[in-house]
Amino acid sequence: SQKIEQNSEALNIQEGKTATLTCNYTNYSPAYLQWYRQDPGRGPVFLLLIRENEKEKRKERLKVTFDTTLKQSLFHITASQPADSATYLCALVGDKIIFGKGTRLHILP
Amino acid sequence: KAGVTQTPRYLIKTRGQQVTLSCSPISGHRSVSWYQQTPGQGLQFLFEYFSETQRNKGNFPGRFSGRQFSNSRSEMNVSTLELGDSALYLCASSLAGPLYNEQFFGPGTRLTVL
């Protein structure tokens, strides 16, 4: 069955550094991969979408890579700020959408 | 532009009861998807409605059902509630569907089953 894993439940990063979150998957061939941010008590907010034929996508301080050979996506936040602290979810999109359980990111001042 | 709204925000029910949750999508969005979020299983897709028709369905029992009205508003119903149904239920709207379009999530309904 399809499986999606996000590298860790929680990640602590010093302010100003680059935070890198990992999303690995097996038994699935997604056409797209999406990243969301979720704050406590709120619904997820869409951040970026990357297609299978795209290697990299950028939006302001965010960068996503997608390696279909490794079956992995990396999500980077450069020059991280305490306001970036949240849970980040990746989602595989093919004939259906499957979410990872998320990584709680803490940016330490 | 108003966002996705869900009512009620919080709900407490007992086992065996049924519950109906409501979702109003962003104006102009014809697709509404429903998700269940729990600490153990994460965010799981329940079903998607587009133009009043269920277009996609996740792996949930038949106790979970939904419908969509002509104004795109959607309701989700859970019958014969079980303790394990306690979760945050989120709906999301999009122009044409969650698979290849940006989805906008509502704040969710927190359901507690006692």
Side-chain angles (χ1 to χ4, degrees), chain B residues 4-24:
Chain B
V4 178
T5 59
Q6 291 188 245
T7 56
R9 292 293 311 277
Y10 303 91
L11 206 49
I12 299 175
K13 292 285 187 179
T14 56
R15 279 181 300 173
Q17 287 187 308
Q18 75 165 20
V19 67
T20 299
L21 312 181
S22 182
C23 172
S24 291

mmCIF file of all heavy atoms in Angstrom, chain B residues 4-24:
data_model
loop_
_atom_site.group_PDB
_atom_site.id
_atom_site.type_symbol
_atom_site.label_atom_id
_atom_site.label_comp_id
_atom_site.label_asym_id
_atom_site.label_seq_id
_atom_site.Cartn_x
_atom_site.Cartn_y
_atom_site.Cartn_z
ATOM 1 N N VAL B 4 -13.380 29.746 3.630
ATOM 2 C CA VAL B 4 -14.226 28.571 3.866
ATOM 3 C C VAL B 4 -14.713 28.617 5.317
ATOM 4 O O VAL B 4 -13.907 28.842 6.227
ATOM 5 C CB VAL B 4 -13.435 27.278 3.620
ATOM 6 C CG1 VAL B 4 -14.292 26.062 3.922
ATOM 7 C CG2 VAL B 4 -12.910 27.243 2.182
ATOM 8 N N THR B 5 -15.992 28.434 5.502
ATOM 9 C CA THR B 5 -16.527 28.420 6.857
ATOM 10 C C THR B 5 -17.100 27.051 7.173
ATOM 11 O O THR B 5 -17.654 26.371 6.291
ATOM 12 C CB THR B 5 -17.612 29.496 7.049
ATOM 13 O OG1 THR B 5 -18.667 29.263 6.107
ATOM 14 C CG2 THR B 5 -17.047 30.888 6.826
ATOM 15 N N GLN B 6 -16.948 26.660 8.444
ATOM 16 C CA GLN B 6 -17.468 25.376 8.898
ATOM 17 C C GLN B 6 -18.246 25.594 10.178
ATOM 18 O O GLN B 6 -17.825 26.370 11.046
ATOM 19 C CB GLN B 6 -16.317 24.392 9.162
ATOM 20 C CG GLN B 6 -15.597 23.947 7.909
ATOM 21 C CD GLN B 6 -14.592 22.838 8.197
ATOM 22 O OE1 GLN B 6 -13.389 23.036 8.045
ATOM 23 N NE2 GLN B 6 -15.086 21.679 8.598
ATOM 24 N N THR B 7 -19.362 24.910 10.274
ATOM 25 C CA THR B 7 -20.155 24.971 11.496
ATOM 26 C C THR B 7 -20.629 23.579 11.875
ATOM 27 O O THR B 7 -20.868 22.736 10.988
ATOM 28 C CB THR B 7 -21.393 25.881 11.308
ATOM 29 O OG1 THR B 7 -22.162 25.409 10.194
ATOM 30 C CG2 THR B 7 -20.983 27.326 11.105
ATOM 31 N N PRO B 8 -20.733 23.292 13.165
ATOM 32 C CA PRO B 8 -20.221 24.124 14.256
ATOM 33 C C PRO B 8 -18.699 23.968 14.377
ATOM 34 O O PRO B 8 -18.111 23.153 13.694
ATOM 35 C CB PRO B 8 -20.936 23.530 15.470
ATOM 36 C CG PRO B 8 -21.080 22.077 15.133
ATOM 37 C CD PRO B 8 -21.328 22.031 13.646
ATOM 38 N N ARG B 9 -18.092 24.760 15.213
ATOM 39 C CA ARG B 9 -16.651 24.629 15.401
ATOM 40 C C ARG B 9 -16.312 23.510 16.385
ATOM 41 O O ARG B 9 -15.280 22.857 16.258
ATOM 42 C CB ARG B 9 -16.069 25.940 15.917
ATOM 43 C CG ARG B 9 -16.102 27.073 14.923
ATOM 44 C CD ARG B 9 -15.172 26.812 13.728
ATOM 45 N NE ARG B 9 -13.852 26.393 14.135
ATOM 46 C CZ ARG B 9 -12.878 27.207 14.504
ATOM 47 N NH1 ARG B 9 -13.084 28.501 14.536
ATOM 48 N NH2 ARG B 9 -11.688 26.722 14.839
ATOM 49 N N TYR B 10 -17.187 23.307 17.346
ATOM 50 C CA TYR B 10 -16.975 22.259 18.344
ATOM 51 C C TYR B 10 -18.280 21.504 18.557
ATOM 52 O O TYR B 10 -19.358 22.093 18.503
ATOM 53 C CB TYR B 10 -16.496 22.846 19.673
ATOM 54 C CG TYR B 10 -15.228 23.653 19.556
ATOM 55 C CD1 TYR B 10 -15.280 25.030 19.325
ATOM 56 C CD2 TYR B 10 -13.984 23.046 19.654
ATOM 57 C CE1 TYR B 10 -14.112 25.763 19.201
ATOM 58 C CE2 TYR B 10 -12.811 23.776 19.537
ATOM 59 C CZ TYR B 10 -12.890 25.130 19.303
ATOM 60 O OH TYR B 10 -11.735 25.870 19.174
ATOM 61 N N LEU B 11 -18.120 20.216 18.822
ATOM 62 C CA LEU B 11 -19.295 19.360 18.985
ATOM 63 C C LEU B 11 -18.940 18.207 19.906
ATOM 64 O O LEU B 11 -17.883 17.581 19.753
ATOM 65 C CB LEU B 11 -19.679 18.833 17.597
ATOM 66 C CG LEU B 11 -21.097 18.417 17.264
ATOM 67 C CD1 LEU B 11 -22.090 19.481 17.698
ATOM 68 C CD2 LEU B 11 -21.218 18.192 15.763
ATOM 69 N N ILE B 12 -19.843 17.932 20.845
ATOM 70 C CA ILE B 12 -19.663 16.775 21.714
ATOM 71 C C ILE B 12 -20.876 15.877 21.545
ATOM 72 O O ILE B 12 -22.016 16.332 21.671
ATOM 73 C CB ILE B 12 -19.507 17.187 23.188
ATOM 74 C CG1 ILE B 12 -18.274 18.071 23.353
ATOM 75 C CG2 ILE B 12 -19.407 15.955 24.086
ATOM 76 C CD1 ILE B 12 -18.096 18.636 24.757
ATOM 77 N N LYS B 13 -20.616 14.617 21.247
ATOM 78 C CA LYS B 13 -21.692 13.641 21.051
ATOM 79 C C LYS B 13 -21.353 12.382 21.842
ATOM 80 O O LYS B 13 -20.224 12.200 22.306
ATOM 81 C CB LYS B 13 -21.821 13.293 19.556
ATOM 82 C CG LYS B 13 -22.327 14.422 18.681
ATOM 83 C CD LYS B 13 -23.798 14.635 18.871
ATOM 84 C CE LYS B 13 -24.370 15.626 17.892
ATOM 85 N NZ LYS B 13 -25.832 15.811 18.092
ATOM 86 N N THR B 14 -22.333 11.507 21.967
ATOM 87 C CA THR B 14 -22.086 10.219 22.617
ATOM 88 C C THR B 14 -22.162 9.104 21.591
ATOM 89 O O THR B 14 -22.746 9.264 20.509
ATOM 90 C CB THR B 14 -23.097 9.971 23.748
ATOM 91 O OG1 THR B 14 -24.414 10.058 23.204
ATOM 92 C CG2 THR B 14 -22.935 10.979 24.864
ATOM 93 N N ARG B 15 -21.570 7.992 21.953
ATOM 94 C CA ARG B 15 -21.545 6.834 21.046
ATOM 95 C C ARG B 15 -22.946 6.461 20.593
ATOM 96 O O ARG B 15 -23.895 6.484 21.377
ATOM 97 C CB ARG B 15 -20.926 5.637 21.745
ATOM 98 C CG ARG B 15 -19.419 5.641 21.758
ATOM 99 C CD ARG B 15 -18.882 4.411 22.457
ATOM 100 N NE ARG B 15 -19.319 4.319 23.846
ATOM 101 C CZ ARG B 15 -19.096 3.292 24.633
ATOM 102 N NH1 ARG B 15 -18.459 2.235 24.178
ATOM 103 N NH2 ARG B 15 -19.501 3.285 25.880
ATOM 104 N N GLY B 16 -23.065 6.107 19.340
ATOM 105 C CA GLY B 16 -24.346 5.693 18.793
ATOM 106 C C GLY B 16 -25.143 6.830 18.166
ATOM 107 O O GLY B 16 -26.043 6.577 17.348
ATOM 108 N N GLN B 17 -24.825 8.065 18.540
ATOM 109 C CA GLN B 17 -25.547 9.195 17.954
ATOM 110 C C GLN B 17 -25.061 9.436 16.525
ATOM 111 O O GLN B 17 -24.088 8.843 16.060
ATOM 112 C CB GLN B 17 -25.334 10.456 18.797
ATOM 113 C CG GLN B 17 -26.079 10.442 20.116
ATOM 114 C CD GLN B 17 -25.968 11.783 20.821
ATOM 115 O OE1 GLN B 17 -24.873 12.322 21.022
ATOM 116 N NE2 GLN B 17 -27.107 12.321 21.215
ATOM 117 N N GLN B 18 -25.736 10.348 15.862
ATOM 118 C CA GLN B 18 -25.266 10.761 14.553
ATOM 119 C C GLN B 18 -25.008 12.263 14.578
ATOM 120 O O GLN B 18 -25.485 12.979 15.463
ATOM 121 C CB GLN B 18 -26.268 10.418 13.456
ATOM 122 C CG GLN B 18 -27.485 11.302 13.389
ATOM 123 C CD GLN B 18 -28.237 11.152 12.071
ATOM 124 O OE1 GLN B 18 -28.104 10.174 11.347
ATOM 125 N NE2 GLN B 18 -29.046 12.148 11.744
ATOM 126 N N VAL B 19 -24.241 12.728 13.616
ATOM 127 C CA VAL B 19 -23.862 14.130 13.596
ATOM 128 C C VAL B 19 -23.814 14.632 12.147
ATOM 129 O O VAL B 19 -23.510 13.865 11.223
ATOM 130 C CB VAL B 19 -22.482 14.324 14.276
ATOM 131 C CG1 VAL B 19 -21.359 13.664 13.467
ATOM 132 C CG2 VAL B 19 -22.186 15.798 14.498
ATOM 133 N N THR B 20 -24.156 15.891 11.968
ATOM 134 C CA THR B 20 -24.072 16.528 10.650
ATOM 135 C C THR B 20 -23.216 17.777 10.766
ATOM 136 O O THR B 20 -23.460 18.625 11.627
ATOM 137 C CB THR B 20 -25.469 16.906 10.127
ATOM 138 O OG1 THR B 20 -26.258 15.722 9.990
ATOM 139 C CG2 THR B 20 -25.360 17.584 8.761
ATOM 140 N N LEU B 21 -22.216 17.863 9.911
ATOM 141 C CA LEU B 21 -21.317 19.011 9.876
ATOM 142 C C LEU B 21 -21.543 19.773 8.567
ATOM 143 O O LEU B 21 -21.849 19.166 7.541
ATOM 144 C CB LEU B 21 -19.854 18.550 9.947
ATOM 145 C CG LEU B 21 -19.497 17.522 11.020
ATOM 146 C CD1 LEU B 21 -18.010 17.196 10.971
ATOM 147 C CD2 LEU B 21 -19.900 18.023 12.385
ATOM 148 N N SER B 22 -21.348 21.067 8.622
ATOM 149 C CA SER B 22 -21.636 21.894 7.459
ATOM 150 C C SER B 22 -20.401 22.656 6.994
ATOM 151 O O SER B 22 -19.553 23.038 7.804
ATOM 152 C CB SER B 22 -22.758 22.881 7.806
ATOM 153 O OG SER B 22 -23.086 23.671 6.701
ATOM 154 N N CYS B 23 -20.335 22.871 5.703
ATOM 155 C CA CYS B 23 -19.198 23.575 5.111
ATOM 156 C C CYS B 23 -19.696 24.502 3.998
ATOM 157 O O CYS B 23 -20.422 24.073 3.086
ATOM 158 C CB CYS B 23 -18.215 22.566 4.531
ATOM 159 S SG CYS B 23 -16.863 23.280 3.575
ATOM 160 N N SER B 24 -19.303 25.773 4.079
ATOM 161 C CA SER B 24 -19.618 26.717 3.008
ATOM 162 C C SER B 24 -18.326 27.080 2.295
ATOM 163 O O SER B 24 -17.413 27.640 2.918
ATOM 164 C CB SER B 24 -20.266 27.977 3.583
ATOM 165 O OG SER B 24 -21.546 27.687 4.082
#
